[in-house]
Amino acid sequence: MNSRLDELPVMNRRESLKYALAAGVGVFGVKELSLAAKAGEMISLPIGNGERPLVAYPGKRPLIRLTTRPPQLETPFSVFDEGVITPNDAFFVRYHLADIPLTIDPDAFRLTIQGKVDSPLSLSLPELKTSFEPIELVAVNQCAGNSRGFFEPRVAGGQIANGAMGNARWKGVALKAVLTKAGVQAGAVQVSFQGLDRPVLPETPAFIKALDLDHALDGEVMIAYAMNGEDLPWLNGFPLRLVVPGYYGTYWVKQLNMITVLDAPLDNFWMKSAYRIPNNACACTEPGKAPASTVPIGRFNVRSFLTNIAEGATVAADKDLSLRGIAFDGGYGISDVVVSGDVGKTWVEADLGENLGKYSFRQWSAKVALPAGKHRLLVRATNRIGQSQPLEPLWNAAGYMRNAVEVTNVIAA
């Protein structure tokens, strides 16, 4: 299979139509699918070596390209001020393996459930949509390495700013319902998930992730087929993806086609070596110091951002300055957000916007008045169990889970 997005194969009319619909482009835009991703202007991220091209892939507005094989596209940060829900065409893209599927026939597609089950299943898309009760929830998907580019000292890995996250309304079926129909056998301990993406080289391990059985059966983990009222975008997992609310995107397997119930913990590269964090409360170590032990990455920590004021902006002095932004956590829910215009000497409580659910972005707004001069605006969120954000960044060798209080420098004049 040709796996390059910039060398898309010639497709017959039926395949092209399905691709166009899945990718979110019109039928008359199908010709664009056989062209290279359209390059646009350059953007400079506020990180080291932050020059990046803005490129438009099928079904996407211009996004910030980190890599082409596999495609990694970051959402421009200004998008997060457009609303709490991230539009499908602006949602970030992250693949691990370069041989991603470029043609999928929805009529022939099957989701296989196998392993330690009484009745293995092979479900078509219509069967999945009609044989199980649909569920919906709003949830953030965030890459574990979101904001890695801000780590000091710098660490290896994709140098991402703050745009490897997004918030969407997902619709699908509960994983629990599907596993219940298959009949989970005694002795099962985990459930693994694999999609249609494949490694280019045989020595590269297949991307397979796993959840403990209790988590898989919690009723919230979802096999999603829709995103913001539309079919999943191609680059965000069409036709099915796993949605694991409150957990980092490494578990949100795209183009999901294989679910296996296991009688022993999955012992592959992606579970025992990759996506692991220091086994302590802060998931951190001193720079250059190896952790005593590690555990698989799990829930989000608390994060908050100022979205309507750009770094380095000039604002009016001695007048109410309207601030707004977003906050989220791993599913306990945001209880309060505070902002400061004097580097944390005093804090102003923000008003919280509509609550779309405990896994969603929560919009906030506040006003501060700044005297003439340079200022550092800070925003800090706390969740319902008292977890908050450190004033100083923490460090780990993988560049995961950054959640320091974000600082925006402005000039009041």
Side-chain angles (χ1 to χ4, degrees), residues 204-288:
T204 302
F207 186 71
I208 306 174
K209 297 293 292 187
L211 299 175
D212 288 342
L213 182 62
D214 287 349
H215 190 180
L217 293 175
D218 70 1
E220 292 187 322
V221 179
M222 179 194 300
I223 302 168
Y225 50 75
M227 177 177 171
N228 294 332
E230 302 175 347
D231 285 345
L232 290 170
W234 191 279
L235 291 174
N236 294 113
F238 176 84
L240 298 176
R241 81 172 303 164
L242 197 68
V243 169
V244 188
Y247 279 65
Y248 285 96
T250 181
Y251 297 103
W252 293 47
V253 175
K254 295 180 292 298
Q255 274 97 35
L256 176 68
N257 74 322
M258 184 78 69
I259 298 174
T260 305
V261 179
L262 306 172
D263 59 5
L266 182 62
D267 188 30
N268 70 352
F269 169 79
W270 298 103
M271 293 298 294
K272 72 177 183 180
S273 300
Y275 287 102
R276 298 182 71 89
I277 56 175
N279 186 16
N280 54 41
C282 65
C284 66
T285 64
E286 296 177 13

Side-chain angles (χ1 to χ4, degrees), residues 143-356:
C143 178
N146 191 29
S147 313
R148 181 186 286 121
F150 295 102
F151 269 64
E152 292 290 347
R154 295 184 68 181
V155 297
Q159 299 301 298
I160 307 167
N162 292 325
M165 62 180 182
N167 189 45
R169 186 178 300 277
W170 309 94
K171 181 178 180 180
V173 302
L175 174 62
K176 178 181 180 180
V178 174
L179 292 177
T180 299
K181 183 171 183 178
V184 176
Q185 295 178 351
V189 297
Q190 277 192 342
V191 183
S192 70
F193 308 91
Q194 184 174 10
L196 293 172
D197 51 329
R198 295 290 183 267
V200 173
L201 301 176
E203 57 267 29
T204 302
F207 186 71
I208 306 174
K209 297 293 292 187
L211 299 175
D212 288 342
L213 182 62
D214 287 349
H215 190 180
L217 293 175
D218 70 1
E220 292 187 322
V221 179
M222 179 194 300
I223 302 168
Y225 50 75
M227 177 177 171
N228 294 332
E230 302 175 347
D231 285 345
L232 290 170
W234 191 279
L235 291 174
N236 294 113
F238 176 84
L240 298 176
R241 81 172 303 164
L242 197 68
V243 169
V244 188
Y247 279 65
Y248 285 96
T250 181
Y251 297 103
W252 293 47
V253 175
K254 295 180 292 298
Q255 274 97 35
L256 176 68
N257 74 322
M258 184 78 69
I259 298 174
T260 305
V261 179
L262 306 172
D263 59 5
L266 182 62
D267 188 30
N268 70 352
F269 169 79
W270 298 103
M271 293 298 294
K272 72 177 183 180
S273 300
Y275 287 102
R276 298 182 71 89
I277 56 175
N279 186 16
N280 54 41
C282 65
C284 66
T285 64
E286 296 177 13
K289 183 178 180 180
S293 63
T294 63
V295 294
I297 198 167
R299 286 187 182 273
F300 302 155
N301 44 24
V302 181
R303 300 209 72 178
S304 60
F305 296 93
L306 173 64
T307 60
N308 73 316
I309 305 292
E311 172 71 13
T314 298
V315 300
D318 300 314
K319 294 182 179 180
D320 278 346
L321 175 63
S322 294
L323 307 178
R324 63 176 176 268
I326 52 175
F328 66 99
D329 76 329
Y332 299 104
I334 296 299
S335 60
D336 62 84
V337 174
V338 292
V339 298
S340 175
D342 54 14
V343 200
K345 294 178 182 177
T346 60
W347 295 89
V348 175
E349 186 172 353
D351 294 323
L352 297 182
E354 182 181 3
N355 185 357
L356 297 181

Side-chain angles (χ1 to χ4, degrees), residues 317-318 370-375 412-413:
D318 300 314
L370 303 175
K374 296 181 178 180
H375 299 274

Side-chain angles (χ1 to χ4, degrees), residues 59-138:
K60 295 292 183 181
R61 69 175 75 175
L63 301 180
I64 303 165
R65 185 171 68 191
L66 179 61
T67 62
T68 57
R69 299 195 69 196
Q72 297 188 75
L73 306 174
E74 181 176 347
T75 302
F77 193 75
S78 59
V79 169
F80 300 116
D81 197 50
E82 295 178 9
V84 174
I85 299 296
T86 310
N88 287 3
D89 69 346
F91 214 93
F92 82 99
V93 174
R94 170 73 166 105
Y95 277 90
H96 295 85
L97 304 178
D99 189 2
I100 72 171
L102 297 180
T103 57
I104 297 173
D105 184 346
D107 296 335
F109 178 87
R110 295 294 184 272
L111 173 64
T112 298
I113 295 87
Q114 62 181 18
K116 293 281 290 182
V117 296
D118 296 328
S119 303
L121 302 176
S122 179
L123 299 172
S124 68
L125 292 175
E127 286 174 325
L128 196 68
K129 294 177 180 180
T130 60
S131 300
F132 301 91
E133 188 73 23
I135 62 173
E136 289 191 25
L137 62 80
V138 179

